[in-house]
Amino acid sequence: MELALRDMGLDASVMAAIHDMLDFSDDTPTSERSRHGPSRAFVRDNKAIKNTAADILEYPNSYVFIVDMPGVGPDQIKVQVEDENVLVVSGERRREKEREQKEGVKYVRMERRQGKFLKKFELPEDADLESIQANYQDGVLTITVEKKQKPEQKRPRTIEVKVG
């Protein structure tokens, strides 16, 4: 395919962009990659963010983030807080290459999502970063972030003014 595209007169920078969009492996020599375009890691991360489905719910006392991560084992999921208020959820689902090589299996059709899962959420100011809990069940990751308790507002105290 690559030779056919080169035969059409596409230069190295266009070829590198096509590789990035199609998420080809990193076997292109560095000299042929575009130096002005986004890096492959940037393109892959943005693609993963766009393709990772998530819901956010707000309850009176918490925020709940629900992320679909089918086929990813709980040991392959990472939940972190970066930059003091950004919740980052990542994981990766890979093909079973060992089975293919060992048993001579070939894919006839591949439609299920492979590759990185990535989602970033900016947490509100009232999020309690010390109370984050993550639960993974049936391909769905549920992260609960409690809200900080608001300090009770004290009622103004009236002080009697005495004469004399």
Side-chain angles (χ1 to χ4, degrees):
M1 178 174 136
E2 191 169 317
L3 289 175
L5 293 174
R6 281 197 184 130
D7 291 343
M8 292 171 32
L10 299 176
D11 65 357
S13 64
V14 173
M15 291 298 296
I18 291 171
H19 276 255
D20 287 340
M21 286 187 292
L22 297 176
D23 203 19
F24 282 16
S25 64
D26 203 326
D27 56 0
T28 307
T30 307
S31 61
E32 290 187 25
R33 292 191 200 133
S34 171
R35 293 186 179 147
H36 303 290
S39 69
R40 286 178 188 234
F42 177 82
V43 171
R44 281 190 194 120
D45 284 354
N46 279 331
K47 186 176 176 183
I49 287 171
K50 184 179 133 195
N51 291 328
T52 302
D55 294 334
I56 304 171
L57 303 168
E58 181 177 3
Y59 290 92
N61 297 323
S62 65
Y63 298 98
V64 177
F65 302 86
I66 302 170
V67 184
D68 285 344
M69 301 184 86
V72 179
D75 58 326
Q76 298 170 310
I77 297 172
K78 190 186 298 185
V79 179
Q80 297 177 300
V81 176
E82 296 178 352
D83 301 328
E84 297 184 28
N85 73 330
V86 179
L87 180 66
V88 180
V89 179
S90 61
E92 187 167 2
R93 180 170 181 225
R94 297 178 181 241
R95 276 193 336 215
E96 298 177 29
K97 291 182 181 181
E98 297 85 35
R99 181 197 288 177
E100 291 176 40
Q101 292 170 351
K102 200 184 297 181
E103 299 174 13
V105 175
K106 293 185 214 175
Y107 279 92
V108 176
R109 176 179 287 180
M110 183 186 295
E111 295 180 352
R112 295 181 309 137
R113 179 151 154 40
Q114 303 289 320
K116 281 180 98 173
F117 289 86
L118 179 65
K119 209 64 173 178
K120 296 183 179 188
F121 307 97
E122 187 172 338
L123 296 172
E125 286 183 26
D126 66 344
D128 184 357
L129 303 181
E130 303 302 318
S131 71
I132 298 174
Q133 296 178 349
N135 183 33
Y136 182 74
Q137 185 174 356
D138 298 331
V140 178
L141 178 66
T142 303
I143 303 166
T144 304
V145 181
E146 298 295 326
K147 290 182 179 180
K148 291 179 185 173
Q149 296 298 320
K150 294 179 184 174
E152 267 189 48
Q153 289 187 347
K154 295 182 180 178
R155 292 183 180 167
R157 192 176 105 196
T158 305
I159 300 170
E160 182 183 338
V161 179
K162 297 181 182 177
V163 178

